[in-house]
Amino acid sequence: MTNFKAYLNHISLDCVIFGFHENQLKVLLLQMKYTKKWALPGGFVKKEESFEEAAERVLKERTGMDNIFLQQFHVFSDPKRSEMNPAVKDLEKSGSGEGLDWFSQRFISTGFYALVDFHKVDPAPDFFSDKCEWKALEEIDNLMMDHRQILDKALETLRLHLTYQPIGYNLLPKKFTMPELQKLYETILGKSLDRRNFQRKILSYKILNKLDERKKGGAYKAPYLYEFNLENYNKALKEGFSGSW
Amino acid sequence: MTNFKAYLNHISLDCVIFGFHENQLKVLLLQMKYTKKWALPGGFVKKEESFEEAAERVLKERTGMDNIFLQQFHVFSDPKRSEMNPAVKDLEKSGSGEGLDWFSQRFISTGFYALVDFHKVDPAPDFFSDKCEWKALEEIDNLMMDHRQILDKALETLRLHLTYQPIGYNLLPKKFTMPELQKLYETILGKSLDRRNFQRKILSYKILNKLDERKKGGAYKAPYLYEFNLENYNKALKEGFSGSW
DNA sequence: TCAAAAGTGTTATGCCTACACCCATGC
DNA sequence: GCATGGGTGTAGGCATAACACTTTTGA
């Protein structure tokens, strides 16, 4: 990762990787080696790669996972967004002259968001960072460069998609309970929903299979387990829900 | 436009410029000089420009207009999308060696869609084209490279935005009638709507001012004129309509 | 037996849909 | 006067929102 010849100049991508854990929406972040600033996992695009392939590669490297749900959402092209890029400082300290040239150029970054099953992720830092960790949305502040803006835009897009697309297959384990699914929706939307109405509505979409099993081990009354009906789920992904006109 | 040193390598943008005329949704296209293929107006990004600024510049050049409603919607990054780029052939014929190198590189294109008042546009071809014309959606086929795909994605995005955002201010003259606005919606959505329900719904958004004037000159009963209530319109643009959760 | 969480059903409201009649204008 | 398009109102159905009681379980 110190030979940049294989990559397209001034093009980068940043990934907002969402996971759901302990009833919180979390994002996978890297802590830069020298500046200690937190940053979104990102990468560059090889000369024969599509952006989607590049994003998959980055995702694989940071999470160990394949086939991640991935969605591009915006291009961040402000010519000043790369100014004072802390990564440059990180490279100065690491003494890589070649890298310095690379990092001092202007970067146009395409934002992707990814939805992953928290438990399946094995976080791995990259060459420029020494930590890779999940952070709950509330504990995140002061990200590198314009990464806060990128994160906000990703969240905004995710919320929008929620209103006309099913979500959850990529964020939850194979079997899950209705309260868990509801918590996921509530977390993304940032507001609480009525239990009964939520259930009626989500069931009306026909994207769930109710299982005979109940979730054991928890306290109190054991909730039923559900799984996604993939056929209908994928159909809903393509066609979308309702739409007002 | 034959000195490409001022521009970022392998980055381009393409604009899908929508206008509304004679109850049809139309798109502004260019006809390439040598291949005679039709193409979306596009351009490159200067080294100190944001994509949005570059798109505005392109829009200004093709339409003569400023302050156009502009929205980026997707990045097209397939490494093969530039293969057999007919513009290269156009350049071969025009004998520009420098241009050849430029055009033979891989391009990553960001798609923007624009909404404009048809009557205000003064179409102007660029260096590589000899015609710049409005085409109704139905008459469009066989566009250059992946431009058909870009157009389709723009239309899909526009339809989606229609369900949660007001639209029309940028596409219609200052004063317009309810039937005209309805035709616009019907055209974008590709289906017909009930007159009375459309009117009730659009009025419920409070984004219109009903004027005392009626449209004169037309045959039959003269319809009332409306204008957009900009304050509410802009508020609706920001906040969006409803949303199912 | 009590507290906490989960399962389930009913009612009211409002929005969307479908539909009909009258009015103005040009031919 | 008739065809065409525009203005307006109403009834039914479906989805959403608000809301309460019962059941299970562990402590």
Side-chain angles (χ1 to χ4, degrees):
Chain A
M1 189 41 157
T2 43
N3 177 14
F4 295 104
K5 293 211 177 72
Y7 296 89
L8 294 172
N9 284 325
H10 47 73
I11 287 178
S12 65
L13 50 90
D14 287 296
C15 299
V16 181
I17 307 171
F18 290 109
F20 189 62
H21 181 57
E22 291 175 340
N23 288 338
Q24 289 184 304
L25 201 58
K26 298 188 175 179
V27 175
L28 198 64
L29 295 180
L30 301 174
Q31 189 173 39
M32 305 303 288
K33 273 181 187 163
Y34 296 95
T35 59
K36 300 296 178 197
K37 282 224 176 190
W38 291 88
L40 295 171
F44 307 108
V45 180
K46 292 185 181 169
K47 290 186 175 165
E48 293 304 325
E49 238 177 7
S50 72
F51 281 23
E52 281 73 17
E53 288 162 348
E56 279 174 34
R57 182 169 47 74
V58 169
L59 270 282
K60 172 81 178 179
E61 286 166 5
R62 293 303 132 254
T63 67
M65 290 178 67
D66 290 307
N67 291 322
I68 286 179
F69 180 88
L70 201 57
Q71 184 90 30
Q72 59 159 272
F73 62 91
H74 199 75
V75 180
F76 299 87
S77 65
D78 184 339
K80 295 186 179 165
R81 65 175 291 278
S82 299
E83 272 176 25
M84 299 187 45
N85 181 344
V88 174
K89 288 184 203 152
D90 272 68
L91 276 160
E92 279 171 12
K93 306 242 178 178
S94 69
S96 161
E98 188 189 355
L100 242 185
D101 282 350
W102 175 260
F103 277 100
S104 62
Q105 67 179 324
R106 169 185 176 189
F107 277 103
I108 285 121
S109 185
T110 299
F112 282 80
Y113 77 81
L115 305 178
V116 299
D117 182 346
F118 181 90
H119 300 283
K120 290 189 182 160
V121 171
D122 178 24
D126 66 13
F127 184 81
F128 310 104
S129 57
D130 45 26
K131 277 189 196 169
C132 182
E133 285 177 14
W134 289 104
K135 294 280 177 191
L137 285 179
E138 296 77 38
E139 19 169 2
I140 298 173
D141 66 332
N142 202 12
L143 296 180
M144 187 177 88
M145 292 169 59
D146 58 351
H147 287 196
R148 177 79 221 186
Q149 196 185 327
I150 296 177
L151 172 57
D152 288 342
K153 185 83 182 175
L155 196 57
E156 183 190 324
T157 308
L158 182 60
R159 280 187 185 146
L160 202 62
H161 286 181
L162 203 61
T163 67
Y164 61 89
Q165 282 191 344
I167 229 159
Y169 176 66
N170 317 277
L171 283 163
L172 293 172
K174 201 165 193 70
K175 296 176 182 181
F176 53 90
T177 68
M178 191 59 74
E180 285 167 351
L181 182 59
Q182 182 178 343
K183 276 284 167 12
L184 171 62
Y185 270 77
E186 291 180 332
T187 306
I188 296 177
L189 290 168
K191 66 178 177 191
S192 58
L193 303 168
D194 182 274
R195 243 167 6 109
R196 294 149 285 195
N197 295 335
F198 175 80
Q199 178 154 344
R200 192 179 6 252
K201 184 161 180 169
I202 202 89
L203 287 177
S204 76
Y205 292 152
K206 308 287 184 195
I207 56 170
L208 297 181
N209 294 334
K210 185 174 185 173
L211 304 176
D212 267 341
E213 301 170 70
R214 284 163 182 262
K215 176 157 189 158
K216 297 167 191 171
Y220 316 123
K221 185 170 183 176
Y224 282 102
L225 287 167
Y226 290 81
E227 63 181 12
F228 284 101
N229 179 323
L230 266 199
E231 191 183 336
N232 289 345
Y233 188 94
N234 287 326
K235 202 164 69 177
L237 262 186
K238 281 202 195 84
E239 297 169 10
F241 298 136
S242 64
S244 185
W245 291 100
Chain B
M1 189 40 157
T2 43
N3 177 14
F4 295 104
K5 293 211 176 72
Y7 297 89
L8 295 172
N9 285 325
H10 49 241
I11 287 178
S12 64
L13 50 90
D14 288 295
C15 299
V16 181
I17 306 170
F18 290 109
F20 188 62
H21 181 57
E22 292 176 338
N23 288 337
Q24 289 185 303
L25 199 60
K26 298 188 176 179
V27 175
L28 199 63
L29 296 179
L30 302 173
Q31 189 173 38
M32 305 303 288
K33 273 182 186 163
Y34 296 95
T35 60
K36 299 298 177 197
K37 282 226 178 191
W38 291 88
L40 294 171
F44 307 108
V45 180
K46 291 185 181 169
K47 290 186 175 166
E48 292 304 325
E49 237 178 6
S50 71
F51 281 23
E52 281 73 16
E53 288 162 348
E56 277 174 36
R57 183 170 46 74
V58 169
L59 270 282
K60 172 82 178 179
E61 286 167 5
R62 295 302 132 254
T63 67
M65 289 177 69
D66 289 308
N67 291 320
I68 286 178
F69 180 88
L70 202 56
Q71 183 90 30
Q72 60 159 272
F73 61 92
H74 199 75
V75 180
F76 299 86
S77 65
D78 183 338
K80 295 187 178 165
R81 66 175 290 278
S82 298
E83 271 176 24
M84 298 188 48
N85 181 343
V88 174
K89 287 185 202 150
D90 271 68
L91 276 160
E92 278 171 13
K93 306 243 179 179
S94 70
S96 161
E98 188 190 352
L100 241 184
D101 281 352
W102 174 261
F103 276 101
S104 63
Q105 67 179 324
R106 170 185 175 189
F107 277 103
I108 285 120
S109 185
T110 299
F112 283 79
Y113 77 81
L115 305 178
V116 299
D117 182 345
F118 182 90
H119 300 284
K120 290 188 181 159
V121 172
D122 178 24
D126 66 12
F127 183 81
F128 310 105
S129 57
D130 45 28
K131 277 189 196 169
C132 181
E133 285 177 15
W134 288 104
K135 294 280 177 191
L137 284 179
E138 296 77 37
E139 19 169 1
I140 298 173
D141 65 332
N142 202 13
L143 295 180
M144 189 177 88
M145 292 169 58
D146 58 352
H147 286 198
R148 177 77 222 188
Q149 196 186 327
I150 296 177
L151 171 57
D152 288 342
K153 186 83 182 174
L155 197 57
E156 185 190 323
T157 307
L158 181 60
R159 280 186 186 148
L160 202 61
H161 286 180
L162 203 60
T163 68
Y164 61 90
Q165 283 191 343
I167 229 159
Y169 176 66
N170 316 279
L171 283 162
L172 293 172
K174 201 164 195 68
K175 296 178 181 180
F176 53 90
T177 67
M178 192 59 75
E180 285 167 350
L181 181 60
Q182 182 177 344
K183 276 282 166 13
L184 171 62
Y185 271 76
E186 291 181 331
T187 307
I188 295 178
L189 291 168
K191 66 180 178 191
S192 58
L193 303 168
D194 182 275
R195 243 167 6 110
R196 293 148 287 194
N197 296 333
F198 175 81
Q199 178 153 346
R200 190 180 6 253
K201 184 160 181 173
I202 203 89
L203 287 176
S204 77
Y205 293 151
K206 309 285 183 195
I207 57 171
L208 297 181
N209 294 333
K210 184 173 183 173
L211 304 177
D212 267 341
E213 301 170 71
R214 287 163 182 260
K215 176 157 187 158
K216 297 166 190 170
Y220 318 123
K221 185 170 183 176
Y224 282 103
L225 286 168
Y226 291 82
E227 62 181 13
F228 284 101
N229 179 324
L230 266 198
E231 191 184 336
N232 290 345
Y233 189 93
N234 287 326
K235 202 165 67 176
L237 261 187
K238 282 203 194 82
E239 298 170 10
F241 299 135
S242 64
S244 186
W245 292 100

